[in-house]
């Protein structure tokens, strides 16, 4: 049977269904919905024609009211704009649900990059043993973070899940009911979530998606690739930041960490209990049923009360299930043996921790805490630290820290709450390991890591406070800025040559996890330099680590959009080549990247398999991805030119004022989507270094300018065009899968840009020149990327992805227009000197804040 091309399948199963169901949504029996649904297409057409004729958003909104709603008073107009916003938010949900429902139809679930395809290819090429050997040592870890890029509250996520299933079944009655529910369910949170609320929201994905998809993948590997009954490398695991990530979040306390760990354990015990309950209905055999009932009872009580006296460890649970399995094989013809294997595999994967809770804090906080603790110990007369410790050189301090040992410290004696919380967090790690197993919490990440001293301060603090005999925690430096990335190899060599730290690494399997952050890297150095800086740092860190017989494990702080290191992630990992250690793929995922790439069983399994195959593909074909000296020279020059262009742009006197007054930056804090503050500092004045990456990237996305995903790329390419050496860039594009992937991800940012929306700013007396700088770079970048790729239009090689973006951008076009209209009104009122308490200004500010939700959700990866 012939299979239609992917784009045709997308049009039939997504676009056509959206048009049908959108018309159904318009017929909901709510007066406001019906009227809004009738008027919105007229407003959409007005926006489309208006921008085509170079009209500004204010003119477009005013002309719509004049032509179609002339009798409305000002208040009635505002009410209609709010109803448009609410309606469009729900259109985005509808499109999400339809796209999710069609995922296994649009995507080939057994095609390239899937486990089945991997096995078939390896078998055909007589390389099955090579595949087994690779899978035995390779790992993928996705780390769920609470970074605020997901605007859907839990209630709406539930509706999307149910709507997806109803659409799959074409259940019109249920779809109608869910539409009605959607029409009455609020999309915004009136109060900010707590870190624990964020954790609970993400644990939903663990329970409802990852427990199944991880299990299915591991079961397939165990039963179809190995098929020898032995326990093999778990290959996939999951990390968890909510409740443990303290960096810039004062609301994450030690009690929060312990509470989240407890919730994770209860959640996984509950899943095991449910599986045992299902097994009990099948394993009704002599000498088996009573054993299953006993396990079921223990797990039920344990999941309710973790302090119950009758417990069972995960090892004991596996041992008992193996014993039951062996008995069934021997006495009961192996009935339901696969179901027992599936449960054993899941216990092997998730233990009693479900996900590994990472702890993260900034090195500057650690330094302050550590200094306070050392001074306290010196005052107490500790013989571990000399009185002149603070005057010693960095090398001398490291030498002393290497010999750090457990000290008796009265944590309550410290007046500073940050000191108490940091020390109690270290104690909490030990407590979690005792209850959830070592994998419950065994990594401490140091943000803004700049020196070996930063690492050794934490290394010593862990020992001093809690870990006496053996340190069962990995210390993970995070290098973020361009300068830190350049210094990273020297920092790691200093650590590798430290006898005490080296002994610690040996006890941890001679593995060193190193985190490399894209978010602040892009904010600091621009798109090309951030990516190339991390690539070069990985190469040098790989070389340095291998020199000392250490395996470097790279953990990428990759967000959803290309501007935060995202985009086509599996293509990125398959492009790295042989000079970068590839034993593990570790990356952060957040916000709508979780819901869009991993939010359903189909998308979760497909994208996890793609990540697994990307590492294998890089191992097999990595030699072909190795950059030649000439290509490296061109890549370095492009990155440096781009970096200079971006730095000059960032230094422009209008850069901060433009973001502050012409974008939605200051409205992010009002959305109540995340527990952390929207900026780092406490100053009222906006400082670039205080800007968090997500509001920074998100604000450019709301403007439809997406600067962090392309700025500097065009100028760098033009340098070669002007010099008559464009053939060198063409050779790099042809030879380097890494460079090709970077540019294709950048094209996604350009595709999601729409400068007609803000073209009116080009005539602004204060910001016109600055807007033109951005637009000129966009134009140059787009022209030269098309020239380089030979495409007639952006994303020509990904027609389905492009079609999805076009529909989403079309849905939110009226929303973007309303947002710009409201921003312009606010600017006019501020120029008129109105106060912040002015009621009219407050209404327009509310419009801007509410318009953020649908725009971000429609983007799926924010830029």
């Amino acid at each position: 049977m012939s299979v239609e091309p992917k784009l045709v399948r997308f049009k039939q199963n997504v676009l056509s269904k959206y048009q049908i169901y959108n018309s159904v949504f318009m017929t909901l029996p709510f007066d406001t919905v019906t009227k809004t649904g009738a008027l919105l297409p007229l407003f959409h057409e007005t926006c489309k024609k208006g921008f085509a004729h170079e009209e500004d958003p204010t003119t477009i909104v005013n002309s719509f009211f004049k032509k179609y709603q002339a009798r409305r008073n000002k208040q009635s107009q505002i009410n209609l704009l709010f109803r448009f916003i609410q309606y469009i938010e729900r259109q985005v949900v509808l499109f999400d649900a339809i796209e999710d429902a069609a995922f296994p139809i649009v995507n080939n679930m057994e095609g390239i990059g899937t486990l089945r395809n991997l096995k078939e290819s390896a078998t055909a090429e007589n390389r099955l043993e090579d595949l087994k050997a690779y899978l035995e040592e390779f790992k993928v870890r996705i780390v769920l973070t609470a970074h605020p890029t997901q605007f859907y509250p839990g209630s709406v996520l539930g509706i999307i899940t149910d709507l997806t299933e109803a659409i799959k079944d074409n259940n019109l009655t249920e779809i109608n009911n869910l539409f009605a529910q959607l029409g009455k369910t609020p999309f915004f949170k009136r109060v900010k979530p707590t870190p624990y609320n964020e954790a609970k929201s993400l644990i939903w994905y663990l329970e409802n998606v990852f427990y199944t998809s991880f299990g299915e993948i591991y079961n397939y590997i165990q039963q179809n690739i190995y098929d020898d009954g032995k326990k093999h490398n778990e290959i996939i695991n999951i990390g968890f930041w909510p409740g443990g990530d303290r960096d810039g979040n004062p609301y994450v306390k030690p009690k929060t960490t312990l509470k989240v760990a407890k919730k994770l354990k209860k959640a996984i015990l509950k899943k095991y209990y449910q599986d045992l309950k299902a097994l009990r209905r099948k394993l009704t055999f002599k000498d088996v049923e009573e054993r299953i009932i006993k396990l079921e009872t223990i797990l039920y009580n344990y999941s309710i009360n973790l302090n119950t006296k009758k417990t069972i460890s995960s090892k004991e649970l596996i041992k008992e299930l193996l014993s039951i399995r062996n008995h069934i094989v021997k006495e009961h013809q192996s009935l339901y043996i696969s179901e027992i294997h599936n449960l054993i595999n899941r216990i092997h994967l998730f233990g009693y921790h479900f996900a590994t809770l990472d702890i993260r804090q900034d090195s500057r906080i650690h330094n302050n805490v550590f200094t306070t603790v050392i001074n306290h110990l010196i005052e107490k007369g500790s013989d571990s630290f000399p009185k002149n410790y603070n005057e010693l050189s960095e090398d001398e301090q490291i030498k002393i820290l290497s010999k750090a040992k457990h000290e008796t410290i009265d944590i309550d004696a410290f007046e500073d709450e940050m000191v108490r919380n940091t020390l109690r967090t270290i104690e909490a790690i030990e407590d979690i390991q005792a209850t959830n197993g070592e994998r419950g919490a065994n990594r401490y990440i140091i943000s803004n890591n700049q020196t070996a001293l930063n690492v050794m301060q934490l290394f010593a603090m862990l020992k001093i406070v809690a870990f006496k005999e053996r340190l069962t925690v990995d210390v993970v430096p995070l290098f973020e800025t361009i300068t830190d990335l350049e210094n990273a190899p020297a920092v790691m060599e200093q650590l590798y040559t430290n006898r005490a730290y080296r002994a610690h690494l040996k006890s941890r399997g001679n593995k060193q996890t190193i985190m490399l952050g894209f978010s602040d890297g892009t904010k600091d150095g621009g798109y090309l330099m951030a990516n190339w800086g991390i690539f070069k740092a990985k190469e040098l860190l790989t070389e340095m680590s291998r020199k000392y017989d250490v395996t470097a494990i790279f953990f990428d702080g990759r967000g959803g959009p290309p501007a935060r290191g995202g985009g086509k992630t599996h293509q990125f990992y398959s492009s790295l080549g042989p000079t970068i250690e590839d034993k593990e793929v570790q990356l952060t995922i957040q916000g709508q990247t979780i819901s869009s790439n991993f939010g359903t069983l189909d998308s979760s399994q497909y994208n996890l398999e793609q990540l697994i195959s990307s590492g294998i593909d890089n191992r097999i074909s990595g030699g072909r991805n190795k950059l030649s000296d000439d290509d490296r020279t061109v890549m370095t020059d492009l990155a440096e030119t781009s970096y200079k262009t971006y730095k000059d742009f960032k230094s422009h006197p209008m850069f901060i004022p433009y973001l502050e007054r012409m974008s939605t930056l200051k409205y992010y804090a009002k959305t109540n989507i995340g527990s952390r503050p929207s900026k780092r500092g406490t100053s009222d004045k906006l400082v670039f270094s205080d800007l968090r990456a997500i509001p920074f990237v998100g604000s450019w996305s709301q403007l439809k300018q997406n600067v962090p995903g392309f700025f500097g790329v065009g100028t760098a390419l033009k340098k070669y065009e002007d010099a008559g050496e464009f053939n060198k860039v063409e050779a790099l594009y042809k030879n380097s899968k890494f460079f090709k992937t970077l540019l294709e991800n950048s094209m996604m940012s350009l595709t999601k840009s729409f400068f007609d929306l803000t073209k009116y700013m080009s005539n602004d007396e204060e910001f016109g020149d600055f807007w033109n700088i951005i637009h000129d770079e966009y134009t140059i970048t787009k022209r030269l990327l098309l020239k380089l790729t030979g495409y007639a239009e952006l994303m020509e090689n990904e027609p389905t992805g492009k079609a999805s973006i076009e529909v989403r951008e079309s849905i939110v076009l009226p929303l973007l227009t309303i947002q710009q209209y409201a921003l312009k009104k606010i600017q006019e009122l501020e120029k008129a000197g109105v106060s912040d308490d002015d009621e009219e200004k407050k209404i327009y500010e509310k419009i801007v804040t509410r318009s953020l939700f649908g725009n971000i959700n429609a983007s799926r990866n924010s830029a």
Side-chain angles (χ1 to χ4, degrees):
M1 188 178 76
S2 63
V3 178
E4 296 282 7
K6 188 174 181 180
L7 182 60
V8 174
R9 299 198 303 272
F10 179 82
K11 287 179 177 177
Q12 289 173 347
N13 295 280
V14 179
L15 295 188
S16 297
K17 280 192 175 182
Y18 173 70
Q19 288 160 2
I20 293 166
Y21 287 130
N22 192 35
S23 62
V24 173
F25 187 65
M26 285 176 63
T27 63
L28 281 176
F30 306 138
D31 185 48
T32 53
V33 170
T34 306
K35 288 180 179 177
T36 306
L39 290 170
L40 184 56
L42 297 174
F43 182 53
H44 185 280
E45 191 61 25
T46 305
C47 294
K48 197 173 172 183
K49 286 182 178 176
F51 288 123
H53 291 101
E54 298 190 356
E55 293 175 0
D56 62 86
T58 304
T59 302
I60 290 169
V61 173
N62 288 338
S63 63
F64 166 75
F65 282 122
K66 186 177 179 181
K67 185 175 181 180
Y68 297 107
Q69 297 285 295
R71 294 182 181 178
R72 283 185 184 269
N73 60 31
K74 194 171 182 180
Q75 184 58 52
S76 180
Q77 289 178 359
I78 292 291
N79 291 342
L80 182 60
L81 293 180
F82 271 116
R83 293 214 305 275
F84 280 160
I85 291 171
Q86 292 170 329
Y87 196 96
I88 293 165
E89 285 172 343
R90 285 149 181 82
Q91 284 184 310
V92 173
V93 167
L94 174 59
F95 192 77
D96 278 351
I98 291 170
E99 206 166 38
D100 285 345
F103 189 93
I105 301 170
V106 174
N107 296 279
N108 187 349
M109 301 299 284
E110 296 183 357
I112 293 171
T114 63
L115 286 174
R116 182 179 291 274
N117 177 260
L118 267 179
K119 186 196 173 186
E120 288 174 355
S121 299
T123 304
E125 296 170 17
N126 200 27
R127 297 188 67 177
L128 190 58
E129 292 306 312
D130 290 341
L131 177 61
K132 288 179 181 179
Y134 182 75
L135 289 173
E136 200 63 83
E137 66 175 6
F138 180 68
K139 281 187 172 68
V140 169
R141 176 181 294 203
I142 57 170
V143 180
L144 308 183
T145 79
H147 289 84
T149 59
Q150 174 58 270
F151 281 65
Y152 289 138
S155 54
V156 176
L157 284 171
I159 295 171
I160 294 175
T161 302
D162 294 341
L163 190 55
T164 299
E165 289 306 309
I167 289 168
K168 276 184 180 178
D169 299 336
N170 286 314
N171 186 339
L172 197 56
T173 303
E174 182 64 11
I175 289 167
N176 259 320
N177 289 338
L178 289 164
F179 279 173
Q181 183 185 353
L182 196 61
K184 289 178 171 290
T185 302
F187 271 52
F188 58 94
K189 299 166 185 172
R190 299 199 179 275
V191 294
K192 287 173 78 71
T194 66
Y196 183 67
N197 292 148
E198 290 172 331
K200 283 202 302 182
S201 296
L202 288 184
I203 288 171
W204 184 92
Y205 287 101
L206 294 178
E207 293 173 313
N208 294 282
V209 181
F210 293 118
Y211 182 76
T212 301
S213 62
F214 274 49
E216 290 297 322
I217 289 170
Y218 190 61
N219 290 340
Y220 183 88
I221 292 169
Q222 284 282 93
Q223 294 165 23
N224 293 281
I225 294 178
Y226 290 108
D227 194 24
D228 57 8
K230 296 177 183 176
K231 183 177 77 173
H232 292 277
N233 169 37
E234 69 270 18
I235 202 167
I236 42 177
N237 55 66
I238 194 158
F240 203 77
W241 275 19
D245 182 10
R246 285 158 171 67
D247 184 12
N249 194 337
Y251 309 114
V252 178
K253 311 285 187 186
K255 285 182 180 178
T256 314
T257 308
L258 291 167
K259 192 176 178 184
V260 170
K262 190 175 181 181
K263 175 70 176 171
L264 284 165
K265 183 172 182 178
K266 279 193 166 191
I268 193 61
L269 288 172
K270 184 180 169 189
K271 296 302 290 185
Y272 296 156
Y273 158 70
Q274 289 169 348
D275 279 0
L276 283 166
K277 188 179 179 184
L279 268 174
R280 177 185 174 181
R281 295 184 65 182
K282 296 177 178 179
L283 303 181
T284 53
F285 322 135
K286 183 186 175 186
D287 299 328
V288 174
E289 186 177 25
E290 60 270 25
R291 293 171 73 180
I292 289 291
I293 291 172
K294 184 180 178 183
L295 286 180
E296 181 195 356
T297 305
I298 291 171
L299 265 292
Y300 175 76
N301 292 329
Y302 200 7
S303 67
I304 293 172
N305 178 16
L306 296 180
N307 297 317
T308 182
K309 288 182 180 178
K310 197 157 191 179
T311 63
I312 185 170
S313 70
S314 59
K315 284 184 179 178
E316 289 168 341
L317 181 56
I318 287 177
K319 188 178 178 182
E320 175 64 1
L321 286 168
L322 284 170
S323 175
I324 292 170
R325 180 200 69 177
N326 294 339
H327 182 75
I328 291 172
V329 170
K330 188 178 178 182
E331 302 293 337
H332 302 290
Q333 293 74 49
S334 298
L335 273 171
Y336 300 119
I337 207 75
S338 62
E339 282 89 339
I340 299 176
H341 277 150
N342 292 350
L343 178 54
I344 291 169
N345 287 341
R346 285 187 167 91
I347 299 168
H348 178 51
L349 283 179
F350 299 114
Y352 278 180
H353 62 286
F354 215 160
T356 298
L357 195 57
D358 284 345
I359 309 300
R360 185 171 77 124
Q361 184 55 284
D362 192 285
S363 64
R364 290 162 291 196
I365 299 291
H366 281 154
N367 184 62
N368 293 338
V369 170
F370 186 76
T371 302
T372 304
V373 172
I374 297 309
N375 289 340
H376 172 77
L377 290 172
I378 290 170
E379 284 176 25
K380 271 183 60 185
S382 169
D383 57 2
S384 298
F385 297 92
K387 290 182 179 179
N388 66 337
Y389 173 83
N390 293 317
E391 283 77 55
L392 297 176
S393 68
E394 186 174 308
D395 287 344
E396 289 171 319
Q397 287 185 351
I398 287 175
K399 196 176 288 185
I400 292 167
L401 295 176
S402 303
K403 299 172 184 174
K405 60 181 187 293
H406 183 70
E407 304 261 0
T408 303
I409 297 176
D410 179 8
I411 295 176
D412 291 326
F414 294 99
E415 293 181 10
D416 190 328
E417 186 188 8
M418 182 59 77
V419 174
R420 294 197 304 273
N421 284 344
T422 303
L423 301 184
R424 292 212 184 282
T425 297
I426 292 172
E427 288 186 332
I429 297 172
E430 191 179 38
D431 291 343
I432 293 167
Q433 289 192 358
T435 57
N436 294 18
E438 188 188 308
R439 288 192 295 168
N442 61 8
R443 303 204 306 187
Y444 201 129
I445 299 156
I446 311 169
S447 302
N448 190 47
N449 196 97
Q450 297 179 336
T451 65
L453 182 62
N454 292 152
V455 173
M456 291 305 294
Q457 284 178 335
L458 177 59
F459 176 74
M461 202 148 53
L462 288 163
K463 288 186 165 187
I464 289 168
V465 176
F467 294 87
K468 300 171 186 174
E469 302 303 321
R470 181 168 172 258
L471 179 55
T472 52
V473 180
D474 295 324
V475 181
V476 182
L478 165 52
F479 301 102
E480 297 179 79
T481 66
I482 302 303
T483 302
D484 290 345
L485 288 168
E486 290 170 351
N487 294 336
V491 170
M492 295 316 299
E493 182 165 37
Q494 198 174 351
L495 292 167
Y496 293 156
T497 53
N498 181 282
R499 188 176 295 177
Y501 192 78
R502 192 73 182 79
H504 167 64
L505 286 183
K506 190 175 181 182
S507 74
R508 307 296 290 166
N510 279 323
K511 292 181 178 180
Q512 172 65 57
T513 305
I514 303 167
M515 188 173 178
L516 303 157
F518 271 81
S519 304
D520 280 332
T522 308
K523 184 166 76 80
D524 178 55
Y527 181 70
L528 271 188
M529 180 54 95
N531 282 280
W532 182 234
I534 286 173
F535 186 94
K536 288 194 299 179
K538 281 184 177 179
E539 285 190 317
L540 292 170
L541 287 165
T542 297
E543 185 182 0
M544 183 64 68
S545 300
R546 287 173 178 171
K547 177 182 171 182
Y548 292 97
D549 198 27
V550 173
T551 300
I553 307 296
F554 295 118
F555 175 23
D556 290 318
R558 302 177 69 83
R564 283 176 53 77
K568 296 292 182 180
T569 307
H570 55 275
Q571 288 179 6
F572 173 84
Y573 282 110
S574 67
S575 75
L576 295 179
T579 54
I580 291 174
E581 196 69 75
D582 60 355
K583 295 277 175 62
E584 294 195 28
V585 167
Q586 294 194 9
L587 69 158
T588 57
I589 57 169
Q590 69 214 21
Q592 68 283 56
T593 310
I594 299 173
S595 56
S596 63
N597 288 2
F598 301 93
T600 67
L601 293 176
D602 291 322
S603 63
S604 173
Q605 184 159 344
Y606 180 82
N607 285 306
L608 282 167
E609 289 188 19
Q610 292 291 320
L611 278 174
I612 292 169
S613 70
S614 71
I616 293 170
D617 186 47
N618 187 56
R619 173 71 64 90
I620 293 168
S621 61
R624 295 200 295 271
N625 294 331
K626 188 173 182 180
L627 288 166
S628 68
D629 290 344
D630 287 345
D631 286 339
R632 293 185 77 87
T633 300
V634 175
M635 185 71 226
T636 300
D637 186 51
L638 286 169
E640 287 175 353
T641 304
S642 173
Y643 183 36
K644 184 182 183 305
T645 305
Y646 179 75
K647 269 178 63 176
D648 291 345
F649 172 66
K650 199 171 63 172
S651 302
H652 194 288
M654 288 292 109
F655 186 89
I656 292 294
Y658 183 81
L659 276 177
E660 201 167 21
R661 287 157 51 198
M662 305 299 277
S663 84
T664 58
L665 183 69
K666 62 186 175 186
Y667 298 96
Y668 265 76
K670 300 177 182 181
T671 56
N672 292 327
I673 57 162
S675 65
R676 68 177 58 208
S678 60
K679 66 186 185 76
R680 287 188 174 88
T682 55
S683 169
D684 290 336
K685 188 179 178 184
L686 187 61
V687 181
F688 183 79
S689 58
D690 286 345
L691 279 177
R692 291 201 174 282
I694 288 170
F696 175 74
V697 170
S699 296
W700 291 112
S701 174
Q702 295 279 331
L703 281 167
K704 287 293 151 189
Q705 293 174 358
N706 292 330
V707 159
F710 73 84
F711 201 92
V713 175
T715 299
L717 294 174
K718 192 171 184 298
K719 178 184 173 183
Y720 280 81
E721 184 185 53
D722 291 346
E725 297 181 330
F726 202 69
N727 61 304
K728 291 184 178 179
V729 183
E730 290 173 328
L732 174 64
Y733 181 76
K734 182 183 176 183
N735 299 337
S736 170
K737 192 175 177 182
F738 171 74
F739 183 57
K740 191 170 186 282
T741 301
L742 282 190
L743 296 192
E744 286 178 354
N745 281 339
S746 189
M747 274 195 267
M748 188 190 296
S749 293
L750 293 169
T751 304
K752 293 181 181 181
S753 297
F754 181 59
F755 278 82
D756 288 350
L757 178 72
T758 55
K759 194 168 186 178
Y760 71 93
M761 294 181 189
S762 64
N763 299 317
D764 188 272
E765 193 175 305
E766 191 175 3
F767 293 107
D769 291 343
F770 188 75
W771 185 92
N772 285 317
I773 290 171
I774 302 169
H775 184 251
D776 289 347
E777 185 65 23
Y778 163 80
T779 305
I780 294 167
T781 305
K782 181 180 177 180
R783 179 179 69 80
L784 290 175
L785 283 183
L786 291 176
K787 178 180 178 179
L788 179 61
T789 58
Y791 297 160
E793 55 184 26
L794 295 170
M795 292 183 70
E796 186 180 297
N797 64 322
E798 290 184 72
T800 310
K802 182 179 175 65
S804 176
I805 289 170
E806 284 173 350
V807 177
R808 290 173 177 278
E809 295 299 317
S810 177
I811 291 170
V812 297
L813 181 66
L815 198 57
L816 293 162
T817 309
I818 292 167
Q819 183 184 90
Q820 284 297 318
Y821 168 77
L823 281 168
K824 186 68 176 168
K825 287 289 186 185
I826 292 166
Q827 291 159 15
E828 289 170 0
L829 289 168
E830 286 176 344
K831 281 182 182 177
V834 303
S835 70
D836 288 341
D837 294 327
D838 181 80
E839 285 304 315
E840 188 179 6
K841 185 184 176 188
K842 281 183 178 179
I843 288 169
Y844 287 119
E845 285 180 332
K846 188 177 178 184
I847 287 176
V848 173
T849 304
R850 283 301 314 280
S851 68
L852 294 173
F853 294 69
N855 288 333
I856 285 288
N857 289 332
S859 290
R860 282 224 155 176
N861 66 10
S862 303

